């Protein structure tokens, strides 16, 4: 076992995620298979495939996707993700089929491999790694982190050091034996809960986590703030649901839009809360909201994020470009006769929303399948 994987028997996790024994819904399976064949006319005999699936569900309570079905389902799940603005390139999603992996150690190895392959040298590639699905009588392993890469948050007498969002996860990791350095950007281990047995703690090797120190193109003092962010936003706590089958351990990533870092992660009051710090270094009057110091500081913080990622050769996009790309995606979907669901509150960027074209319209809010869903 690699040294960055540790089995943690002394720590007592809550009882394993109990999943009631249930049979895969044949109607969901049939709906997906019909969609797959409708969009892939060369896939073969629809009715023969439906008969095989009905037989397998009757015998085993579930069925197995072909690789082509899995790849299509994962890509369409991205296409149907109403909170994602970056769906124009849904067909480019790289699908790593690792459905044979069900042990926690295997999950840990695949998480690290996923980050290495998705990161490359900075040219981020949209990637999903699909591990074992839930079976009728046995749940698949889960990843407790909401993203593979998260920064620790430490409670102190003077407040939280690091990311307040991750205080509970940090305390769980520490109870399991992890010892962070107490810094603002300590990378947390990945905690994997298998269906049966003890949880596993996976320390991410340095070569699997690409980070970008933040500087500003005009203000040399910005580097003194010591801010940084990681390159790959890999979601790891959602179930990939395809045709009635849940793949609960399926980390996936695209690349960052700058505002996710500069206008949320580093700016939100319940996250790193850097606006007042930046405003003061800019010499802005923070005594009244009428000076719009928050707006000025927010723009400069986002300028620093985009500048730093570009200088480091790491893929990132800005919210104006991505807004136009989303409307191009929407137009393509409409021409293809498909519904393109979107959640307005997520599609509209958290910076200069009214200056982007996605602000000025309504969207279809229905939930489609396949999709990524939060586990209960």
């Amino acid at each position: 076992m690699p040294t960055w994987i540790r089995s943690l028997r002394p720590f007592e996790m809550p009882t394993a995620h109990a999943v009631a024994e249930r049979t895969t819904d044949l109607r969901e399976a049939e709906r997906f298979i019909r969609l797959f064949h409708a969009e892939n006319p060369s896939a073969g005999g629809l009715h023969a495939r439906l008969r095989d699936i009905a037989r397998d569900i009757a015998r085993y309570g579930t069925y197995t996707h072909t690789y082509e079905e899995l790849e299509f389902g994962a890509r369409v799940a991205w296409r149907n993700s109403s909170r994602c603005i970056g769906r124009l390139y849904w067909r480019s999603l790289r699908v790593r089929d690792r459905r044979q992996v069900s042990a926690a150690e295997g999950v840990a190895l695949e998480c690290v491999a996923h980050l290495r392959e998705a990161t490359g040298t900075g040219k981020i590639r949209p990637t999903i790694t699909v591990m074992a699905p839930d079976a009728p009588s046995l749940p698949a392993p889960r990843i407790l982190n909401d993203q593979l890469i998260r920064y620790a948050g430490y409670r102190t007498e003077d407040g939280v050091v690091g990311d307040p969002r991750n205080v509970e996860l940090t305390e769980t990791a520490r109870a399991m034996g992890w010892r962070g350095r107490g810094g603002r950007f300590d990378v947390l281990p990945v905690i994997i809960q298998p269906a049966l047995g003890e949880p596993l703690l996976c320390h991410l090797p340095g070569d699997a986590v690409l980070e970008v120190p933040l500087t500003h193109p005009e203000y040399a003092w910005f580097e003194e703030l010591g801010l940084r962010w990681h390159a790959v936003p890999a979601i790891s706590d959602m179930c990939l649901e395809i045709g009635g089958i849940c793949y609960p351990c399926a980390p996936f990533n695209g690349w960052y839009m700058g505002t996710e870092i500069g206008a949320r992660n580093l700016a939100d009051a319940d996250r790193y809360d850097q606006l007042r710090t930046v405003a003061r270094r800019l010499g802005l009057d923070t005594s009244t909201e009428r000076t719009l110091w928050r707006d000025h500081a927010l723009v400069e913080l986002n300028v620093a994020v985009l500048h730093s990622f570009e200088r480091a050769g790491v893929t990132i996009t800005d919210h104006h470009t991505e807004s136009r790309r989303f409307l191009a995606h929407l137009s393509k979907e409409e021409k293809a006769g498909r519904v393109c669901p979107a959640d307005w509150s997520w599609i509209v960027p958290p910076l200069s929303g009214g200056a982007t074209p996605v602000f000025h319209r309504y969207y279809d809010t229905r939930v489609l399948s396949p999709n990524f869903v939060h586990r209960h």
Side-chain angles (χ1 to χ4, degrees), residues 145 149-155 160-171 173-174 178-189 211 229-230 271-272:
N145 311 53
I149 304 173
R150 276 301 193 193
Y151 293 120
Y154 306 95
R155 295 186 201 272
V160 174
V161 174
D163 193 341
R165 179 189 181 107
N166 302 319
V167 166
E168 289 187 11
L169 185 64
T170 302
E171 292 177 348
R174 296 179 79 177
W178 178 72
R179 293 292 175 264
R181 299 187 305 274
R184 290 198 297 165
F185 297 96
D186 294 352
V187 176
L188 282 166
E211 295 181 278
W229 207 257
H230 57 87
R271 298 295 298 286
Y272 279 86

Side-chain angles (χ1 to χ4, degrees), residues 10-84:
F11 180 74
E12 210 171 293
M13 285 289 289
T15 54
H17 39 278
V19 175
E21 184 168 340
R22 65 180 180 85
T23 299
T24 298
D25 190 332
L26 178 59
R27 293 169 299 178
E28 289 295 322
E30 180 176 339
R31 189 176 297 117
F32 168 68
I33 295 301
R34 289 186 180 279
L35 175 66
F36 171 72
H37 280 261
E39 295 194 29
N40 299 274
S42 62
L46 168 62
H47 297 293
R49 179 62 176 140
L50 290 175
R51 283 196 302 271
D52 289 344
I53 288 173
R55 179 199 61 212
D56 287 350
I57 291 177
R59 286 182 181 177
Y60 312 115
T62 189
Y63 68 106
T64 302
H65 291 126
T66 65
Y67 174 74
E68 291 74 20
E69 290 166 355
L70 179 72
E71 181 181 59
F72 173 77
R75 289 173 174 174
V76 173
W78 184 14
R79 185 176 84 191
N80 289 337
S81 297
S82 62
R83 291 182 170 184
C84 179

Side-chain angles (χ1 to χ4, degrees), residues 98-216:
R98 299 296 187 271
R99 285 175 288 174
Q100 77 280 8
V101 175
S102 58
E105 291 85 356
V107 172
L109 291 169
E110 289 301 334
C111 287
V112 172
H114 177 113
L115 287 174
R116 286 171 173 157
E117 293 180 26
T119 305
T121 58
K123 186 175 174 58
I124 311 302
R125 181 167 185 181
T127 303
I128 183 168
T129 298
V130 184
M131 288 171 263
D134 280 337
S137 59
L138 184 67
R142 263 71 169 165
I143 297 171
L144 301 189
N145 311 53
D146 65 330
Q147 290 193 23
L148 292 183
I149 304 173
R150 276 301 193 193
Y151 293 120
Y154 306 95
R155 295 186 201 272
T156 73
E157 293 181 356
D158 299 319
V160 174
V161 174
D163 193 341
R165 179 189 181 107
N166 302 319
V167 166
E168 289 187 11
L169 185 64
T170 302
E171 292 177 348
T172 297
R174 296 179 79 177
M176 295 171 70
W178 178 72
R179 293 292 175 264
R181 299 187 305 274
R184 290 198 297 165
F185 297 96
D186 294 352
V187 176
L188 282 166
V190 176
I191 304 174
I192 301 159
Q193 175 62 59
L196 300 171
E198 305 296 333
L200 202 71
L201 198 71
C202 170
H203 297 271
L204 295 175
D207 70 329
V209 182
L210 176 60
E211 295 181 278
V212 179
L214 301 187
T215 61
H216 194 284

Side-chain angles (χ1 to χ4, degrees), residues 137-360:
S137 59
L138 184 67
R142 263 71 169 165
I143 297 171
L144 301 189
N145 311 53
D146 65 330
Q147 290 193 23
L148 292 183
I149 304 173
R150 276 301 193 193
Y151 293 120
Y154 306 95
R155 295 186 201 272
T156 73
E157 293 181 356
D158 299 319
V160 174
V161 174
D163 193 341
R165 179 189 181 107
N166 302 319
V167 166
E168 289 187 11
L169 185 64
T170 302
E171 292 177 348
T172 297
R174 296 179 79 177
M176 295 171 70
W178 178 72
R179 293 292 175 264
R181 299 187 305 274
R184 290 198 297 165
F185 297 96
D186 294 352
V187 176
L188 282 166
V190 176
I191 304 174
I192 301 159
Q193 175 62 59
L196 300 171
E198 305 296 333
L200 202 71
L201 198 71
C202 170
H203 297 271
L204 295 175
D207 70 329
V209 182
L210 176 60
E211 295 181 278
V212 179
L214 301 187
T215 61
H216 194 284
E218 296 180 33
Y219 304 115
W221 54 258
F222 197 96
E223 188 173 2
E224 299 171 7
L225 301 181
L227 302 177
R228 61 196 305 110
W229 207 257
H230 57 87
V232 180
I235 307 298
S236 53
D237 69 338
M238 298 184 77
C239 168
L240 168 63
E241 223 171 52
I242 303 174
I245 295 178
C246 172
Y247 297 95
C249 198
F252 63 95
N253 71 274
W255 51 72
Y256 271 116
M257 185 166 71
T259 52
E260 296 177 81
I261 302 169
R264 299 303 310 276
N265 299 338
L266 295 176
D268 282 355
D270 60 350
R271 298 295 298 286
Y272 279 86
D273 196 21
Q274 291 296 298
L275 289 187
R276 191 174 293 274
T277 298
V278 172
R280 286 172 175 167
R281 294 300 293 267
L282 287 168
L284 303 177
D285 178 5
T286 61
S287 65
T288 173
E289 299 293 352
R290 288 180 178 270
T291 64
L292 301 185
W293 63 268
R294 295 183 194 275
D295 307 72
H296 190 164
L298 191 61
V299 168
E300 297 302 342
L301 186 52
N302 279 269
V303 167
V305 169
L306 293 172
H307 163 76
S308 302
F309 271 65
E310 183 176 6
R311 190 176 72 164
V314 176
T315 306
I316 197 167
T317 185
D318 67 87
H319 51 294
H320 294 286
T321 299
E322 209 57 44
S323 293
R324 291 194 298 272
R325 286 176 179 170
F326 178 72
L327 292 187
H329 166 70
L330 187 64
S331 177
K332 285 186 176 182
E333 291 301 292
E334 290 173 347
K335 288 178 181 177
R338 294 191 291 259
V339 171
C340 180
D343 184 333
W344 189 95
S345 65
W346 281 72
I347 295 300
V348 175
L351 172 65
S352 304
T356 64
V358 293
F359 180 91
H360 304 280

